[in-house]
């Protein structure tokens, strides 16, 4: 997902722009650029592909002293990762030797950019890029030109520039977070938001703009979060917010909740490793203040529905993407087993367009770490449009989904910087476990059973601490299997979605192809993949289906496939069959995913490390996908 920074104030803009872009690296990108304003009012820009360090060395070669500037990390949507496609984009006719009138950065997708582009080309605009963003830049240039001709454009008025931008935004279909700076205008930036987040850091004689709070730590703890259809005029001392259809409004200044250490690895080599080890603490945070032993239930304050309203709910829909969809699958099994409520799990991108028949007494949960995933936001909006109460299980306080949902439950896991989700996954399952307890105790779950569930939840953090002690063994296994080109991850019941998650972790950071399957499914095709070069990771736990999965393990061994077993108990048969055995603590079956996923996270991490992959910022990926 793209990252945006902007600065106007008393200091040199370049420093904040570059450091801010470094703070936004975790969002994923493939090119970057900044734009500055020379003392003579001329716009300059530097752009590069690859890492921000490439941009930094480019900037260093010819530094422009400027107290205003904008910057951008681009995650390619329209057009390849090239310098011409990198932001900022100019508006005007710079290719005719004219100076650029404006420089603009954008996060989001303009769906009608092609028709707008054709119209501009017919009017003589030449495009230097394949992006939708450049269309917006030229549209703004053309609108200002038209307003000048009509005699209603005050060239020194920031309001006039904001009026022109509002006119342009009215022509766009899609999503945007936009920041614009203008030739000869050293005093103000414009920022506008619809669907792609933007925050404004309120400083002393300086203001900071960013896609999320990460670049603001250490600069200010006061922040204004723009909401959809707002434009901000930002000068070094003032921030004026204009709401479409409402005019100028008083912005709401909030205090940043999280401290700066979220953006340091605290002695770990990577954020992902840090966040894997933060899981015990994250689990404790997710449970803190939410266990009610007196009533053997959960305390969930943010549902914003009364007990009678919740008692009338007969069905749940859980929707999300990627890892959050995997935790939803585990939530389905848990809530159906413990609360005896039917649960439907939907890919958010499917739910948005599938138009399924949904019973009117249905409560929808959007599950999301970032709270900015476009597919999940769109699916929730669609279900809200149909009249269903929509709640969020979310980690990012103040995010779009957290704000637009009718309520919800925060994970309190702390910022998750590594693109591969780890602590958010296990925290989501804990929160879903709290929901299962809450709904169960509203229905048929007895007091004693409720207390047993509370005990199991409270022991989880310690069990995960124990699971983390398998790391040295995992490192050896990683060395043995680092050259495989295919992996299978197999589990049954609660460990089937866990297998999906293990496969996703390996895929996304080591680039090795991996598939997760219900173990019984092997017989129906995937077993054709098994040979001596294809490791199968089996997830086992002593329980209902243990003997069945042992049969599946034997089927793989009979075809010469190497087997890595992650299990909560070892017997002589497993010792004979498995090539490697990773022992993890045993917990009640519905919570086993939280413990059994830890070795899978570590396995993916160490294989990726050995293969020289960028663990925290894997290729092609973004931490939060704000485009559909
Ligand atoms: C997980 O490791 C991936 N980074 C990705 O699948 C992620 O879970 C998905 O994009 C959903 O993100 P969200 O939880 O922030 O909505």
């Amino acid at each position: 997902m793209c990252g945006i920074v902007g600065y106007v104030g008393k200091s040199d803009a370049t420093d904040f722009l570059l450091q801010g872009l470094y703070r936004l690296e975790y969002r994923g990108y493939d090119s970057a650029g900044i734009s500055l304003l020379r003392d003579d009012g001329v716009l300059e820009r530097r752009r590069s592909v690859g890492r921000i360090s490439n941009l930094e060395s480019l900037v260093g070669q010819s530094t422009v002293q400027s107290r205003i500037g904008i910057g951008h990390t681009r995650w390619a949507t329209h057009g390849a990762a090239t310098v011409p496609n990198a932001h900022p984009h100019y508006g005007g006719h710079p290719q005719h030797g004219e100076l650029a009138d404006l420089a603009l950065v954008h996060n989001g997708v303009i769906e009608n950019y092609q028709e707008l582009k054709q119209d501009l080309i017919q009017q003589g605009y030449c495009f230097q890029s394949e992006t939708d963003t450049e269309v917006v830049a030229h549209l703004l240039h053309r609108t200002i030109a038209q307003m000048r001709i009509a005699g209603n454009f005050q060239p020194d008025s920031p309001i006039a520039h904001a009026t022109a931008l509002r006119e342009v935004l009215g022509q766009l279909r899609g999503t945007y977070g936009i920041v614009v700076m203008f030739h000869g205008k050293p005093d103000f930036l414009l920022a506008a938001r619809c669907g792609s987040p933007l925050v404004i850091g309120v400083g002393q004689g300086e203001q900071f703009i960013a896609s999320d709070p990460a670049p603001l730590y250490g600069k200010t703890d006061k922040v204004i979060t723009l909401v959809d259809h707002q434009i901000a005029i930002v000068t070094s001392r003032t921030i004026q917010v204009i709401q479409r259809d409402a005019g100028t409004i008083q912005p709401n200044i909030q205090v940043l909740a999280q401290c700066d250490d979220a953006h340091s690895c605290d002695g770990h080599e990577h954020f992902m490793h840090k966040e894997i080890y933060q899981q015990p603490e994250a689990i404790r945070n997710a449970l803190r203040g939410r266990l009610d032993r007196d009533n053997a239930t959960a305390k969930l304050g943010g549902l914003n529905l009364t007990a009678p309203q919740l008692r009338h709910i007969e069905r749940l829909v859980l929707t999300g993407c990627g890892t959050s969809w995997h935790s939803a699958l585990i939530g389905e099994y848990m809530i159906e087993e413990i609360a005896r409520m039917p649960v439907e799990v939907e890919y958010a991108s499917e739910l948005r367009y599938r138009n399924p028949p949904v019973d009117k007494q249905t409560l929808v949960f959007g599950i999301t770490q970032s709270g900015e995933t476009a597919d999940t936001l769109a699916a929730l909006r669609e279900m809200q449009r149909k009249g269903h109460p929509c709640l969020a299980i979310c980690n990012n306080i103040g995010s779009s989904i957290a704000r637009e949902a009718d309520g919800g439950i925060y994970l309190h896991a702390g910022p998750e910087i590594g693109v591969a989700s780890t602590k958010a996954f296990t925290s989501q399952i804990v929160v879903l476990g709290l929901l299962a307890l809450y709904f169960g105790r509203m229905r048929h779950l007895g007091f004693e059973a409720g207390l047993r569930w509370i005990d199991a939840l409270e022991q989880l953090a310690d069990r995960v601490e124990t699971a983390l002690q398998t790391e040295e063994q995992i490192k050896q296994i990683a060395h043995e299997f680092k050259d495989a080109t295919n992996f299978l991850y197999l589990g049954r019941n609660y460990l089937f979605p866990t297998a999906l998650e293990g496969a996703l972790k390996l895929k996304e950071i080591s680039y090795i192809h991996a598939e997760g399957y219900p173990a019984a499914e092997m017989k129906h095709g995937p077993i054709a993949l098994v040979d001596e070069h294809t490791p199968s990771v089996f997830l086992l736990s002593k329980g209902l289906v243990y003997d069945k999965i042992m049969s599946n393990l034997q089927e793989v061994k009979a075809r010469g496939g190497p087997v890595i077993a992650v299990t909560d108990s070892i017997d002589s048969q497993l010792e004979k069959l498995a090539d490697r055995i990773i022992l993890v603590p045993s917990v009640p079956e519905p919570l086993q995913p939280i413990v059994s996923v830890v070795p899978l996270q570590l396995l993916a991490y160490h294989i990726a490390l050995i293969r020289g992959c960028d663990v925290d910022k894997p290729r092609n990926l973004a931490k939060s996908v704000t485009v559909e």
Side-chain angles (χ1 to χ4, degrees), residues 321-324 367-371 373 376 419-421 428 504-505 508 623 625:
C321 305
T323 287
S324 297
I367 301 179
T368 170
Q369 187 286 129
S370 64
T373 301
T376 308
V419 165
S421 189
Q428 285 167 351
L504 177 62
K505 289 291 94 61
E508 65 177 328
K623 180 58 184 172
V625 183

Side-chain angles (χ1 to χ4, degrees), residues 296-309:
T297 186
K299 281 188 283 188
L300 300 170
L303 301 182
N304 296 345
L305 291 166
T306 64
Q309 287 170 324

Side-chain angles (χ1 to χ4, degrees), residues 87-145:
H87 302 206
H89 285 289
Y90 281 158
H93 301 284
Q95 71 290 341
H96 294 158
E98 292 175 24
L99 297 173
D101 277 30
L102 58 99
L104 182 147
V105 292
H106 164 235
N107 178 18
V109 174
I110 306 302
E111 294 172 0
N112 60 329
Y113 84 99
Q114 287 288 18
E115 58 196 85
L116 296 168
K117 184 170 183 174
Q118 291 315 312
D119 190 27
L120 287 162
I121 289 171
Q122 281 164 15
Q123 295 188 338
Y125 284 88
C126 296
F127 283 80
Q128 316 296 315
S129 79
E130 307 157 87
T131 67
D132 53 349
T133 304
E134 193 183 1
V135 172
V136 181
H138 290 320
L139 265 185
L140 182 54
H141 176 267
R142 184 180 72 180
T143 303
I144 290 174

Side-chain angles (χ1 to χ4, degrees), residues 402-418:
R403 277 204 319 279
E404 292 200 22
D406 303 311
I409 309 168
Y410 280 122
L411 301 182
H412 297 311
E416 186 177 73
I417 308 300

Side-chain angles (χ1 to χ4, degrees), residues 41-42 52 100 126 140 178 245 261 329 348 443 459 522 529 558 564:
V42 173
I52 294 167
C126 296
L140 182 54
I178 283 172
D245 312 328
D261 71 2
L329 286 176
R443 289 166 170 74
Q459 290 162 12
M522 284 293 296
L529 294 172
I564 301 166

